[in-house]
Amino acid sequence: HDGGEHAGLHVKAPWPIDSVLRIDRRVQSFDLPAVEALTRDPVTKTVDKTLAVDAFVTWRLPDAEAADRFVKTVRTPEQARKLLGPLINGRLAAVISTMPIEDLIGVADDPRAVEDRAERVRRRLLGEEGLAGEAVGAGEGLRARALTEYGIQVIDVRVRRFSYPEAVRGSGSGVISMRRGTLYPARRPRRCASTAARSTSPAPARWT
């Protein structure tokens, strides 16, 4: 990478003085590892329930200056994933811990209410709002930090779904869709009445 932005011939000295590093400046995305976060009970002001949150992030390198910073600090998209993953998941856990569970997965009849809820979470994730919804400075937040430190422009962070942790899924809980804002309960096998009656009746006697 020589800082050029246009196609054509570029002059470089032979290796090891100069070397070529190709950088993809298109929009890229990846899924974040699921993070478990505690929600807040607005009545008792204590922790409420634990949710597992799946999200994804889209990012790119906006200009030559950002690409140069990326080469010096990150170098590869794989390393960008390792750096952004903990950074975003830490922010995600902090956002979820300040919100009541009803604000995250409560059922709404109006689709616009679900969209507003998702947008509120997104803005707090990106640092456009504080954890409590307050205004923040222009140089603060996740986007500003990623661009300043790594040259990465975080375009968007979206929650894909909420679910209960693996340890409690067997108790009949389900998967919560962020888009629909509804809870899909897990199904359990049922035994019909005749089967239950047969299972409890004594076995017939056998004559030998």
Side-chain angles (χ1 to χ4, degrees):
H1 172 69
D2 59 3
E5 296 183 340
H6 305 288
L9 296 176
H10 295 263
V11 178
K12 77 176 188 68
W15 185 88
I17 300 175
D18 283 341
S19 61
V20 176
L21 178 63
R22 299 185 181 275
I23 299 176
D24 190 350
R25 288 179 53 193
R26 295 175 297 182
V27 175
Q28 303 185 56
S29 65
F30 62 86
D31 292 329
L32 295 166
V35 60
E36 293 186 6
L38 293 168
T39 58
R40 182 177 62 88
D41 188 327
V43 178
T44 62
K45 307 299 183 182
T46 58
V47 296
D48 191 5
K49 294 180 175 61
T50 302
L51 292 178
V53 188
D54 295 313
F56 68 94
V57 57
T58 55
W59 63 278
R60 71 184 183 99
L61 305 177
D63 50 37
E65 181 182 354
D68 185 63
R69 190 178 305 118
F70 180 87
V71 169
K72 294 177 180 178
T73 59
V74 183
R75 294 190 65 83
T76 65
E78 291 74 18
Q79 185 65 19
R81 178 179 302 192
K82 293 180 181 178
L83 290 172
L84 289 178
L87 183 65
I88 297 175
N89 271 351
R91 178 73 182 183
L92 179 58
V95 170
I96 298 301
S97 66
T98 62
M99 302 182 69
I101 193 170
E102 291 78 11
D103 288 353
L104 298 170
I105 62 173
V107 178
D109 296 330
D110 188 354
R112 291 175 297 180
V114 178
E115 294 298 329
D116 291 344
R117 181 189 305 158
E119 178 64 17
R120 184 164 60 252
V121 173
R122 187 190 73 87
R123 290 178 60 84
R124 295 184 185 184
L125 275 175
L126 292 173
E128 298 175 1
E129 294 180 0
L131 294 178
E134 72 276 12
V136 296
E140 303 176 12
L142 176 66
R143 276 179 167 165
R145 180 179 175 185
L147 185 61
T148 301
E149 296 184 9
Y150 308 119
I152 296 174
Q153 180 186 18
V154 177
I155 299 175
D156 204 357
V157 179
R158 292 278 179 171
V159 173
R160 190 183 303 277
R161 70 172 186 175
F162 295 100
S163 60
Y164 290 106
E166 197 70 34
V168 299
R169 285 184 190 172
S171 61
S173 59
V175 176
I176 304 125
S177 168
M178 182 63 185
R179 182 182 55 170
R180 297 181 182 177
T182 54
L183 173 65
Y184 299 92
R187 293 184 177 179
R188 288 185 169 183
R190 288 186 175 181
R191 300 171 62 192
C192 63
S194 59
T195 303
R198 286 198 300 269
S199 64
T200 57
S201 61
R206 298 180 58 189
W207 297 92
T208 58

